[in-house]
Amino acid sequence: MITVQGFEGLRVGVLGLGRSGLATCAALAAGGAEVCAWDDSAEGRAKAEAAGFACVDLTRQDAVPQLSVLITSPGIPHLFPKPHPVIAAALQAGVPVDNDIGLFFRALTDSDEPPKVVCVTGSNGKSTTTALIAHVLNEAGRAVEVAGNIGTGVLAIDLPGEDGVVVLELSSYQSDLARILAPDVAVFTNFSPDHLDRHGGLGGYFAAKRRLFSEGAPARAVIGVDEPEGQYLAMQYAEDAQDSRAIRISSGQRLQGQGWSVFARRGHLAEWRGGRQVASIDLRNIPGLPGAHNHQNACAAYAALRALGLAPRGIEAGLTSFKGLPHRSQLIAEKDGVRYVNDSKATNVDSAAKALQAFPKIRWIAGGLGKDGGLEALVPHLGAVVKAYMIGHSARDFALQLGDTPHEICETMARAVARAVAEAEPGEVVLLAPAAASFDQYPDFEKRGEDFTALVQAALNG
């Protein structure tokens, strides 16, 4: 656990008592702060009290003005669509508001041997890129901790020391509010519309991502330039065309110029510096990184690792042994020439489109609680689909949008898996990429992916 100092004897409010909130309470208490914990749910408050933290009703009119600072969890709105009442009271009273990411970087200033810090943000691929960087570092014998929007609350980790690395996945919610951002390496994977209500529109969403670079001023910035927002960010960060502080990355296009770039084309990763190629890696046969979207993740991870001083051949060895993250293009089985892939995390059409472009012949299981627009945006990406098996609340609505693509309305995961396993032929992939939320049949995408995995394994072993 990290001890947060500088608040000794001061009243510090902690709003939101989930994983990161409880870790924040512990880190502040260890530093001598008087922690005033609060959660809108009785369950959250009960967990905090069981852990030994006093709950103070911060919704009382006189509670917030008595605080020296308010620390809020990332899921709680602080500006759009409207501030949470406790945060609104803090803004009105002039009480500073921060989050655990800001406290983490504050705590680093008190460390005698601070580790290197890599922060990964972007719209898609953050978790895989974060896990990939950490995996390669582990394989290279470096001490590494992973936290943030993936795995552990950042204040719950132990700092790995001067030669170690902390890899943080940061959502826009986290980067938007942190009062201190000071990564050594910052990564921007890509950009597409998301969380627009929380940020007041697309511009606010991009501004939240951009803070990691404008406020954080990393020594190296790894920036995906396949969208105009990334191109703009790279342009702002670099002093001139030769500035190697900005490493531009891409999947699908060869990057020009005299600067530092890493790109993937036709399954091959290439690193260029000063107008010449200095390294390359064949990504095509790495099972944990299928498809162009994962090749983009590989480029982002490779560039960050090069910025940390790792050699190309060591990075290649780590990429090759990477097994992928659960529920993200995860190969769960292979039998009789048929592969079974769990991409339950593909909860929207953008991520599902990337999955559908990763394989040549697909028996596609999709559906759930559909989002605005349904599957309309996926129609151009259905060319590899041999047959679709529709499940969940949106099964029939989705089926109406498939056009000439062969399909079957199965409703349940069990029937969809049984039908796909029975009909699959050698060379095909049975792919779960729902393009929908899970909440009609499952509590979360993890449970949906676990059910798919269990049903596949039972069918193949039965």
Side-chain angles (χ1 to χ4, degrees):
M1 182 186 70
I2 294 172
T3 299
V4 175
Q5 299 177 342
F7 300 102
E8 296 85 351
L10 300 179
R11 291 172 64 86
V12 179
V14 178
L15 178 63
L17 302 175
R19 171 173 53 87
S20 65
L22 290 177
T24 299
C25 289
L28 286 164
E34 180 186 346
V35 175
C36 303
W38 182 253
D39 194 288
D40 290 336
S41 75
E43 179 183 5
R45 298 194 296 270
K47 288 182 179 179
E49 290 172 344
F53 303 115
C55 286
V56 175
D57 187 355
L58 296 180
T59 64
R60 292 196 330 256
Q61 187 174 2
D62 63 337
V64 172
Q66 298 179 39
L67 301 177
S68 294
V69 65
L70 175 67
I71 310 300
T72 181
S73 292
I76 300 174
H78 59 271
L79 190 57
F80 299 107
K82 65 178 183 179
H84 183 282
V86 173
I87 297 179
L91 299 177
Q92 182 70 28
V95 174
V97 181
D98 203 350
N99 61 17
D100 62 334
I101 301 300
L103 292 183
F104 165 77
F105 281 110
R106 177 187 177 118
L108 284 189
T109 63
D110 298 320
S111 174
D112 294 332
E113 297 181 340
K116 297 290 186 183
V117 179
V118 179
C119 291
V120 181
T121 195
S123 296
N124 294 299
K126 297 186 297 295
S127 295
T128 297
T129 300
T130 299
L132 191 51
I133 293 169
H135 172 78
V136 176
L137 288 167
N138 266 318
E139 293 292 291
R142 298 282 292 273
V144 61
E145 293 282 349
V146 178
N149 199 46
I150 182 175
T152 307
V154 65
L155 295 176
I157 68 173
D158 294 320
L159 292 180
E162 190 173 14
D163 192 49
V165 182
V166 175
V167 189
L168 301 181
E169 177 190 334
L170 296 188
S171 70
S172 57
Y173 297 177
Q174 293 168 310
S175 61
D176 194 21
L177 189 61
R179 294 175 66 85
I180 301 175
L181 291 166
D184 297 283
V185 180
V187 179
F188 180 89
T189 58
N190 49 51
F191 190 80
S192 61
D194 206 356
H195 309 306
L196 301 188
D197 59 335
R198 175 65 183 266
H199 296 292
L202 194 62
Y205 177 50
F206 178 59
K209 298 289 189 186
R210 182 175 172 271
R211 283 196 78 241
L212 182 61
F213 301 84
S214 59
E215 303 291 329
R220 287 277 190 269
V222 176
I223 302 173
V225 294
D226 288 333
E227 297 87 28
E229 291 82 3
Q231 296 165 12
Y232 176 81
L233 185 59
M235 176 275 296
Q236 283 204 314
Y237 200 79
E239 290 291 334
D240 54 49
Q242 289 79 39
D243 191 345
S244 63
R245 292 182 308 153
I247 309 175
R248 298 158 66 234
I249 65 165
S250 172
S251 176
Q253 62 173 318
R254 176 174 176 172
L255 298 179
Q256 305 293 326
Q258 296 294 310
W260 193 351
S261 64
V262 178
F263 57 86
R265 294 180 69 220
R266 301 185 181 92
H268 290 82
L269 179 152
E271 177 187 2
W272 283 66
R273 299 183 73 171
R276 66 183 184 90
Q277 183 173 319
V278 297
S280 65
I281 297 174
D282 187 347
L283 302 173
R284 293 173 297 175
N285 296 318
I286 299 178
L289 297 169
H293 62 302
N294 274 310
H295 293 174
Q296 183 183 62
N297 298 334
C299 289
Y302 177 95
L305 291 159
R306 289 288 281 146
L308 290 172
L310 273 70
R313 295 285 75 84
I315 299 174
E316 181 176 9
L319 296 180
T320 301
S321 62
F322 182 65
K323 301 300 183 185
L325 284 179
H327 317 298
R328 298 165 175 86
S329 294
Q330 178 191 15
L331 179 64
I332 59 171
E334 185 169 0
K335 186 176 182 180
D336 298 331
V338 179
R339 288 179 289 168
Y340 298 85
V341 175
N342 167 22
D343 202 353
S344 185
K345 183 63 169 65
T347 58
N348 57 47
V349 293
D350 185 62
S351 53
K354 291 178 170 60
L356 289 171
Q357 294 173 71
F359 307 101
K361 296 180 180 180
I362 298 170
R363 293 192 177 270
W364 178 37
I365 299 176
L369 192 61
K371 300 183 178 180
D372 290 346
L375 295 184
E376 184 177 354
L378 277 178
V379 173
H381 307 293
L382 300 180
V385 176
V386 177
K387 183 176 178 180
Y389 305 83
M390 299 287 99
I391 65 172
H393 179 269
S394 60
R396 285 172 170 76
D397 290 339
F398 277 15
L400 293 173
Q401 297 177 295
L402 292 176
D404 296 331
T405 302
H407 63 272
E408 180 177 339
I409 297 176
C410 297
E411 294 188 344
T412 67
M413 183 73 76
R415 178 167 174 77
V417 169
R419 296 291 294 148
V421 170
E423 296 179 352
E425 298 179 358
E428 295 179 348
V429 172
V430 175
L431 170 69
L432 172 65
S438 62
F439 305 126
D440 57 333
Q441 294 178 316
Y442 302 94
D444 49 46
F445 73 84
E446 290 96 343
K447 292 298 182 184
R448 178 171 58 190
E450 290 167 6
D451 189 30
F452 171 75
T453 301
L455 289 166
V456 166
Q457 291 173 345
L460 297 183
N461 297 325

